[in-house]
Amino acid sequence: MATAADLDAMRRAIALAARGLGSTSPNPVVGCVITDASGRPVGEGFHQRAGGPHAEIHALRDAGERACGGTAYVTLEPCNHTGRTGPCAQALAEAGIARVVYAVADPNPGAAGGADTLRAAGVQVEQGLLADEAEAGNTAWLTSVRRGRPYVLWKYAATLDGRIAAADGTSRWISSPESRADVHRLRAEADAVVVGSGTARADDPHLAVRGIDGAVQPLRVVVDTDATAVKPGARVLDDAAPTLIAVADDAETGLPDVVRLPRDGRGLSVPALLDALFERGVRSVLLEGGPTLAGSFVAAGAVDAVVGYLAPVLLGEGRTALADAGITTITEALRLDVVETARIGTDLRITATPKER
């Protein structure tokens, strides 16, 4: 039975893990809190960047000799393999940790088994404390491991009647400044930001993170099937962040940093695009538009979460947020579970995840 102290320590570890969002890929975000033998917090840490020390190592260094006989609270099962860093399970055992409480089992076959290693070393091991909360904080990485493709978050901003642009194509600005700033937070937490050719033509988007100190710039990806939307001098081709242009394997282009992919009936193959990004170390994607590309992702079953910014605005005419998604009747509708609502400036932000079909 978890005590109040156990819960407090794991909640702190979950909060610490969130500090690594956007900077640890292709590794997970992980937080760790260490208490001494009497239960007093003596060390904490989080995984700060790929290739750097893991959360447990930071916490052990913070705790020093006080870790001996204590408890380590970790959001993810301590790793059991040697990569760019050593196995955390072994480090915890060698430090004299008597008890390890972790929230979520590691689904990565190459790193799992830390719990067994700890038990073999005589360490008391407990699993599942605040597992739902820890999983939510690490959902992008966990999804990518379990599905073998990047986690996809589709973001859009629309009026209350579902329009993302007016009849004449103007769209700046439907959402509030606060919502637009919040989108930069989403970009900073993602490995890649993806738009389609329509958005590239209409908006000449920059797609880099602004206004967030220390943010790791995501890979900017434009899906430009026929290689006609991104021209030399486009803002997305500057040096503010890396850029990848996805084109059909039969398209003619002289642009650098191009990946060629097969076509499907809608344009480029969404599974092929996600495979190509996964091979490049991308574990989380922020899909920013537009409606045609979003429809392709929904039709492919490749949207894991939706964030909609709804502005108190009515237009009546204009483009809708989602184009053809392969849904022809109400019984085929993709129904969602609302997991969060929040007021952002004058807008309402709704976060939802697809129900299992």
Side-chain angles (χ1 to χ4, degrees):
M1 183 71 178
T3 65
D6 291 334
L7 294 169
D8 287 345
M10 187 61 79
R11 289 192 182 101
R12 175 58 180 167
I14 292 170
L16 287 166
R19 295 184 183 180
L21 286 169
S23 62
T24 66
S25 191
N27 296 340
V29 294
V30 182
C32 178
V33 169
I34 291 176
T35 60
D36 65 14
S38 65
R40 293 175 299 182
V42 293
E44 61 180 34
F46 66 98
H47 186 36
Q48 300 176 13
R49 59 179 178 83
H54 290 186
E56 297 93 324
I57 305 306
H58 282 296
L60 286 171
R61 290 174 180 173
D62 191 28
E65 294 181 356
R66 297 172 296 176
C68 187
T71 298
Y73 300 86
V74 195
T75 56
L76 185 70
E77 180 184 2
C79 69
N80 196 44
H81 77 298
T82 299
R84 285 182 284 184
T85 60
C88 292
Q90 180 179 338
L92 290 167
E94 290 177 351
I97 289 289
R99 175 177 173 240
V100 171
V101 180
Y102 68 91
V104 179
D106 193 331
N108 184 354
D116 291 338
T117 294
L118 287 164
R119 291 189 183 98
V123 179
Q124 178 185 345
V125 179
E126 301 169 23
Q127 175 191 342
L129 182 63
L130 298 182
D132 289 345
E133 292 90 332
E135 176 132 358
N138 211 12
T139 187
W141 182 83
L142 289 167
T143 298
S144 73
V145 172
R146 291 165 180 164
R147 300 189 178 180
R149 63 155 175 83
Y151 169 88
V152 177
L153 172 64
W154 172 40
K155 158 265 164 188
Y156 70 92
T159 63
L160 281 183
D161 55 341
R163 307 293 174 175
I164 63 169
D168 64 356
T170 56
S171 60
R172 297 185 178 179
W173 293 103
I174 286 175
S175 59
S176 67
E178 293 85 354
S179 289
R180 298 196 296 274
D182 195 56
V183 171
H184 283 279
R185 175 188 61 83
L186 295 181
R187 287 181 182 176
E189 294 177 356
D191 296 338
V193 179
V194 179
V195 299
S197 57
T199 299
R201 290 191 188 94
D203 299 337
D204 188 22
H206 192 231
L207 302 181
V209 177
R210 298 188 300 276
I212 300 179
D213 293 338
V216 176
Q217 291 290 348
L219 176 67
R220 299 177 293 187
V221 181
V222 180
V223 179
D224 188 8
T225 304
D226 295 312
T228 58
V230 180
K231 305 292 186 182
R235 298 174 68 213
V236 77
L237 296 177
D238 69 10
D239 59 1
T243 299
L244 182 68
I245 312 298
V247 303
D249 48 17
D250 59 352
E252 295 184 5
T253 178
L255 290 172
D257 300 319
V258 167
V259 59
R260 295 184 175 276
L261 300 172
R263 296 176 184 263
D264 65 12
R266 295 171 171 271
L268 288 188
S269 164
V270 170
L273 172 63
L274 292 176
D275 285 346
L277 294 176
F278 193 84
E279 290 176 1
R280 285 167 169 77
V282 171
R283 297 297 180 264
S284 61
V285 164
L286 178 62
L287 178 63
E288 290 207 26
T292 301
L293 186 61
S296 295
F297 270 74
V298 171
V303 171
D304 300 299
V306 180
V307 173
Y309 297 87
L310 300 183
V313 177
L314 298 176
L315 285 174
E317 294 290 340
R319 289 189 298 165
T320 57
L322 184 66
D324 177 21
I327 298 169
T328 59
T329 181
I330 193 66
T331 58
E332 297 174 352
L334 178 58
R335 300 191 179 274
L336 310 174
D337 287 317
V338 174
V339 297
E340 182 192 44
T341 59
R343 184 74 177 266
I344 307 291
T346 57
D347 306 329
L348 178 65
R349 183 186 69 200
I350 299 177
T351 304
T353 56
K355 294 177 180 289
E356 292 294 332
R357 283 183 165 180

PDB file of all heavy atoms in Angstrom, residues 321-334:
ATOM      1  N   ALA A 321     -11.754  22.387 -40.805  1.00  0.00           N
ATOM      2  CA  ALA A 321     -10.502  21.910 -40.207  1.00  0.00           C
ATOM      3  C   ALA A 321     -10.043  20.580 -40.777  1.00  0.00           C
ATOM      4  O   ALA A 321      -8.849  20.305 -40.853  1.00  0.00           O
ATOM      5  CB  ALA A 321     -10.668  21.796 -38.690  1.00  0.00           C
ATOM      6  N   LEU A 322     -10.989  19.735 -41.206  1.00  0.00           N
ATOM      7  CA  LEU A 322     -10.649  18.390 -41.658  1.00  0.00           C
ATOM      8  C   LEU A 322     -11.309  18.123 -42.994  1.00  0.00           C
ATOM      9  O   LEU A 322     -12.520  18.293 -43.152  1.00  0.00           O
ATOM     10  CB  LEU A 322     -11.104  17.352 -40.626  1.00  0.00           C
ATOM     11  CG  LEU A 322     -10.743  15.900 -40.904  1.00  0.00           C
ATOM     12  CD1 LEU A 322      -9.238  15.693 -40.858  1.00  0.00           C
ATOM     13  CD2 LEU A 322     -11.430  14.969 -39.881  1.00  0.00           C
ATOM     14  N   ALA A 323     -10.503  17.714 -43.968  1.00  0.00           N
ATOM     15  CA  ALA A 323     -11.032  17.336 -45.276  1.00  0.00           C
ATOM     16  C   ALA A 323     -11.324  15.839 -45.292  1.00  0.00           C
ATOM     17  O   ALA A 323     -11.410  15.195 -44.234  1.00  0.00           O
ATOM     18  CB  ALA A 323     -10.038  17.732 -46.365  1.00  0.00           C
ATOM     19  N   ASP A 324     -11.453  15.280 -46.475  1.00  0.00           N
ATOM     20  CA  ASP A 324     -11.824  13.872 -46.627  1.00  0.00           C
ATOM     21  C   ASP A 324     -10.912  12.973 -45.804  1.00  0.00           C
ATOM     22  O   ASP A 324      -9.702  12.945 -45.997  1.00  0.00           O
ATOM     23  CB  ASP A 324     -11.736  13.492 -48.103  1.00  0.00           C
ATOM     24  CG  ASP A 324     -12.023  12.018 -48.347  1.00  0.00           C
ATOM     25  OD1 ASP A 324     -12.658  11.381 -47.493  1.00  0.00           O
ATOM     26  OD2 ASP A 324     -11.598  11.514 -49.406  1.00  0.00           O
ATOM     27  N   ALA A 325     -11.518  12.248 -44.873  1.00  0.00           N
ATOM     28  CA  ALA A 325     -10.769  11.328 -44.019  1.00  0.00           C
ATOM     29  C   ALA A 325     -11.204   9.889 -44.239  1.00  0.00           C
ATOM     30  O   ALA A 325     -10.959   9.027 -43.396  1.00  0.00           O
ATOM     31  CB  ALA A 325     -10.955  11.713 -42.553  1.00  0.00           C
ATOM     32  N   GLY A 326     -11.877   9.649 -45.363  1.00  0.00           N
ATOM     33  CA  GLY A 326     -12.326   8.297 -45.671  1.00  0.00           C
ATOM     34  C   GLY A 326     -13.549   7.875 -44.886  1.00  0.00           C
ATOM     35  O   GLY A 326     -13.862   6.691 -44.822  1.00  0.00           O
ATOM     36  N   ILE A 327     -14.256   8.820 -44.297  1.00  0.00           N
ATOM     37  CA  ILE A 327     -15.451   8.532 -43.497  1.00  0.00           C
ATOM     38  C   ILE A 327     -16.676   8.932 -44.305  1.00  0.00           C
ATOM     39  O   ILE A 327     -16.831  10.099 -44.675  1.00  0.00           O
ATOM     40  CB  ILE A 327     -15.410   9.304 -42.162  1.00  0.00           C
ATOM     41  CG1 ILE A 327     -14.189   8.861 -41.346  1.00  0.00           C
ATOM     42  CG2 ILE A 327     -16.697   9.109 -41.373  1.00  0.00           C
ATOM     43  CD1 ILE A 327     -13.897   9.735 -40.150  1.00  0.00           C
ATOM     44  N   THR A 328     -17.545   7.990 -44.601  1.00  0.00           N
ATOM     45  CA  THR A 328     -18.694   8.261 -45.468  1.00  0.00           C
ATOM     46  C   THR A 328     -20.044   8.178 -44.764  1.00  0.00           C
ATOM     47  O   THR A 328     -21.048   8.615 -45.316  1.00  0.00           O
ATOM     48  CB  THR A 328     -18.702   7.289 -46.661  1.00  0.00           C
ATOM     49  OG1 THR A 328     -18.762   5.938 -46.171  1.00  0.00           O
ATOM     50  CG2 THR A 328     -17.442   7.469 -47.509  1.00  0.00           C
ATOM     51  N   THR A 329     -20.065   7.624 -43.566  1.00  0.00           N
ATOM     52  CA  THR A 329     -21.323   7.483 -42.847  1.00  0.00           C
ATOM     53  C   THR A 329     -21.081   7.653 -41.355  1.00  0.00           C
ATOM     54  O   THR A 329     -19.959   7.463 -40.867  1.00  0.00           O
ATOM     55  CB  THR A 329     -21.975   6.107 -43.136  1.00  0.00           C
ATOM     56  OG1 THR A 329     -23.215   6.001 -42.428  1.00  0.00           O
ATOM     57  CG2 THR A 329     -21.056   4.975 -42.680  1.00  0.00           C
ATOM     58  N   ILE A 330     -22.117   8.019 -40.626  1.00  0.00           N
ATOM     59  CA  ILE A 330     -21.956   8.353 -39.207  1.00  0.00           C
ATOM     60  C   ILE A 330     -21.442   7.168 -38.403  1.00  0.00           C
ATOM     61  O   ILE A 330     -20.716   7.345 -37.406  1.00  0.00           O
ATOM     62  CB  ILE A 330     -23.289   8.880 -38.615  1.00  0.00           C
ATOM     63  CG1 ILE A 330     -23.058   9.517 -37.250  1.00  0.00           C
ATOM     64  CG2 ILE A 330     -24.327   7.778 -38.540  1.00  0.00           C
ATOM     65  CD1 ILE A 330     -22.229  10.769 -37.286  1.00  0.00           C
ATOM     66  N   THR A 331     -21.753   5.962 -38.833  1.00  0.00           N
ATOM     67  CA  THR A 331     -21.282   4.799 -38.080  1.00  0.00           C
ATOM     68  C   THR A 331     -19.771   4.610 -38.200  1.00  0.00           C
ATOM     69  O   THR A 331     -19.177   3.907 -37.400  1.00  0.00           O
ATOM     70  CB  THR A 331     -21.985   3.517 -38.553  1.00  0.00           C
ATOM     71  OG1 THR A 331     -21.753   3.340 -39.952  1.00  0.00           O
ATOM     72  CG2 THR A 331     -23.485   3.600 -38.283  1.00  0.00           C
ATOM     73  N   GLU A 332     -19.144   5.260 -39.190  1.00  0.00           N
ATOM     74  CA  GLU A 332     -17.698   5.175 -39.360  1.00  0.00           C
ATOM     75  C   GLU A 332     -16.971   6.327 -38.675  1.00  0.00           C
ATOM     76  O   GLU A 332     -15.738   6.402 -38.737  1.00  0.00           O
ATOM     77  CB  GLU A 332     -17.344   5.185 -40.855  1.00  0.00           C
ATOM     78  CG  GLU A 332     -17.893   4.008 -41.636  1.00  0.00           C
ATOM     79  CD  GLU A 332     -17.636   4.141 -43.122  1.00  0.00           C
ATOM     80  OE1 GLU A 332     -17.164   5.223 -43.550  1.00  0.00           O
ATOM     81  OE2 GLU A 332     -17.912   3.185 -43.866  1.00  0.00           O
ATOM     82  N   ALA A 333     -17.719   7.218 -38.045  1.00  0.00           N
ATOM     83  CA  ALA A 333     -17.111   8.408 -37.447  1.00  0.00           C
ATOM     84  C   ALA A 333     -16.018   8.027 -36.450  1.00  0.00           C
ATOM     85  O   ALA A 333     -16.161   7.053 -35.695  1.00  0.00           O
ATOM     86  CB  ALA A 333     -18.173   9.247 -36.745  1.00  0.00           C
ATOM     87  N   LEU A 334     -14.940   8.787 -36.472  1.00  0.00           N
ATOM     88  CA  LEU A 334     -13.870   8.590 -35.495  1.00  0.00           C
ATOM     89  C   LEU A 334     -14.256   9.348 -34.238  1.00  0.00           C
ATOM     90  O   LEU A 334     -14.209  10.578 -34.198  1.00  0.00           O
ATOM     91  CB  LEU A 334     -12.540   9.111 -36.042  1.00  0.00           C
ATOM     92  CG  LEU A 334     -11.337   8.998 -35.097  1.00  0.00           C
ATOM     93  CD1 LEU A 334     -11.093   7.552 -34.688  1.00  0.00           C
ATOM     94  CD2 LEU A 334     -10.089   9.591 -35.734  1.00  0.00           C
TER      95      LEU A 334
END
